[in-house]
């Protein structure tokens, strides 16, 4: 398969390029050459997708079986790219987000499938047309306008893994590796079906090979994975200490900010009702397969450990909880809970952290990382 990846040097785009090459596909990447090095083995075309001249140069004499767009955030820009490529590719795989679904707040539960209503956003909206999820909905419409019946829309939740630049797993891995008590927010039973970028890419490549149809696909990680199991995987990968679980209401009263101070923290999440409750049955039936959480944690730590600095997108705030502040909150919690200081809390957390989360694929089935620093658990940019 001849594949064009828009981007292809950072996180999810890099995963697509790497997985495609490993599968024997021919890969062209289109990027400005500023974010990171190109994956060895790709053919690189330098250019800016916001430039009509650069898009014209890209498609001159070019033809691909599929386009993979991992870096589309503004409908007007995505629409221009799709328009330029519409006569030069058979299929367009666009990485959207579950943030595109219409909700009143960032932590409102999601419990539907791909037919759930999206945010209202025109397909030619500019960067000021709304927040991340609103703009993603507009981007979907822009791609569909130019690749009608030939568009695959991936709607992942939180994506983690090697080359991550969002801080969602690197925070926890580094924190456990540093030693000492680790503040864990809320409940270890809170659902957290994180998906590995490599598994998103492999599934996207399956869809890219289908030029006969299209549709939307919710994408999430191992079924049954919860916050406790994920932090246990991070602890085991680094040899760190046990987490200390502190209730949502106490942390909020201490002034901690969901998602911004502690990544992946969505207050109020319970197994029966959470921001991660969307159905992934359709994707699993079409071939989505997800590796277990411990493999993602181990591989990410192997990549992250030798780095002098943690990669972080310039347009997405890094987790902001300083160690001194974390210890102060833990001390306050120990005082508020007489007889239940960090040592006692650790015992409960250990049992909870080692249970839950197993190999499988998909999130909670119904039959079962950007311009502003607002908390949006499913809205982290992932390209």
């Amino acid at each position: 398969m001849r594949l064009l990846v828009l981007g292809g040097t950072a996180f999810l785009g890099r995963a697509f390029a790497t997985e495609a090459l490993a599968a024997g596909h021919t890969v062209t990447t289109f990027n400005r050459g500023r974010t990171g090095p190109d994956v060895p083995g790709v053919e690189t075309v330098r250019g800016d997708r916001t430039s009509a001249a650069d898009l014209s140069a890209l498609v001159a004499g070019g033809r691909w079986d599929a386009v993979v767009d991992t870096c589309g955030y503004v409908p007007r820009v995505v629409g221009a790219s799709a328009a330029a490529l519409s006569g030069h590719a058979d299929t367009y795989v666009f990485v959207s987000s579950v943030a595109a679904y219409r909700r009143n707040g960032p932590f409102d539960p999601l419990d539907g499938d791909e037919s759930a209503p999206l945010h209202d956003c025109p397909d030619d909206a500019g960067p000021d047309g709304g927040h991340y999820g609103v703009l993603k909905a507009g981007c979907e419409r822009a791609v569909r306008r130019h690749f009608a019946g030939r568009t695959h829309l991936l709607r992942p939740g939180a994506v983690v893994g090697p080359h991550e630049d969002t801080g969602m797993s690197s925070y926890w891995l580094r924190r456990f590796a540093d030693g000492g008590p680790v503040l864990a927010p809320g409940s270890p039973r809170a659902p957290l079906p994180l998906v590995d970028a490599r598994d998103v890419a492999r599934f996207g490549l399956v869809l890219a090979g289908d030029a006969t149809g299209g549709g939307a696909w919710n994408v999430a990680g191992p079924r049954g994975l919860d916050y406790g199991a994920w932090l246990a995987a991070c602890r085991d990968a680094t040899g760190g200490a046990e987490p200390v679980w502190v209730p949502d209401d106490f942390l909020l009263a201490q002034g901690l900010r969901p998602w911004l101070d502690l990544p992946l923290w969505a207050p109020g999440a319970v197994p029966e009702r959470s921001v991660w409750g969307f159905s992934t049955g359709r994707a699993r039936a079409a071939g989505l397969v997800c590796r277990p959480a411990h493999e993602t944690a181990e591989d990410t730590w192997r990549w992250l450990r030798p780095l002098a600095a943690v990669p972080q997108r310039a347009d997405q705030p890094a987790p902001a909880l300083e160690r001194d502040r974390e210890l102060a909150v833990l001390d306050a919690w120990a005082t508020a809970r007489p007889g239940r200081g960090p040592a006692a809390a650790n015992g409960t957390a250990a049992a909870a952290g080692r249970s839950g989360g197993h190999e499988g694929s998909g999130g909670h089935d119904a039959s079962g990382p950007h311009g502003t620093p607002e908390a949006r658990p499913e809205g982290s940019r992932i390209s």
Side-chain angles (χ1 to χ4, degrees), residues 182-199:
V182 177
L183 173 59
S187 168
R189 300 301 184 198
L192 193 66
L194 305 175
V195 63
D196 193 297
R198 296 166 293 182
D199 297 330

Side-chain angles (χ1 to χ4, degrees), residues 143-285:
V143 175
R144 278 178 158 160
R145 176 154 64 96
H146 298 288
F147 277 79
R150 300 180 292 148
T151 301
H152 290 288
L153 305 168
L154 295 178
R155 295 174 183 159
V159 183
V160 295
H163 299 279
E164 171 189 307
D165 56 4
T166 62
M168 284 192 284
S169 63
S170 60
Y171 170 89
W172 292 112
L173 289 165
R174 289 261 171 143
R175 184 61 207 85
F176 277 105
D178 286 343
V182 177
L183 173 59
S187 168
R189 300 301 184 198
L192 193 66
L194 305 175
V195 63
D196 193 297
R198 296 166 293 182
D199 297 330
V200 177
R202 289 180 182 179
F203 178 59
L205 292 174
V206 171
L207 300 178
D210 178 12
T212 62
W217 312 82
N218 291 337
V219 181
R223 287 180 293 171
L225 181 63
D226 55 30
Y227 217 144
W230 171 243
L231 294 195
C234 292
R235 175 204 64 208
D236 293 346
T238 60
E242 298 291 346
V244 179
W245 293 94
V246 181
D248 292 330
D249 55 356
F250 185 86
L251 296 178
L252 292 171
Q254 290 288 312
L256 296 194
R257 300 168 299 169
W259 207 261
L260 297 178
D261 288 322
L262 292 165
L264 304 170
W265 174 30
V270 294
E272 299 79 17
R273 187 172 173 80
S274 81
V275 68
W276 311 111
F278 51 90
S279 169
T280 59
R282 185 167 188 259
R284 290 188 292 108

Side-chain angles (χ1 to χ4, degrees), residues 272-348:
E272 299 79 17
R273 187 172 173 80
S274 81
V275 68
W276 311 111
F278 51 90
S279 169
T280 59
R282 185 167 188 259
R284 290 188 292 108
L288 173 66
V289 177
C290 296
R291 69 199 68 207
H294 72 81
E295 183 177 327
T296 296
E298 290 165 3
D299 290 350
T300 304
W301 180 237
R302 189 177 300 112
W303 160 77
L304 182 66
R305 186 175 185 178
L307 299 182
V310 179
Q312 184 68 39
R313 295 187 66 105
D315 53 2
Q316 179 169 314
L321 185 62
E322 299 292 339
R323 181 58 171 159
D324 288 347
R325 176 66 174 140
E326 178 187 13
L327 291 175
V329 173
L330 286 171
D331 286 344
W333 173 240
T335 300
R337 295 288 304 274
R340 291 293 304 278
N346 278 340
T348 301

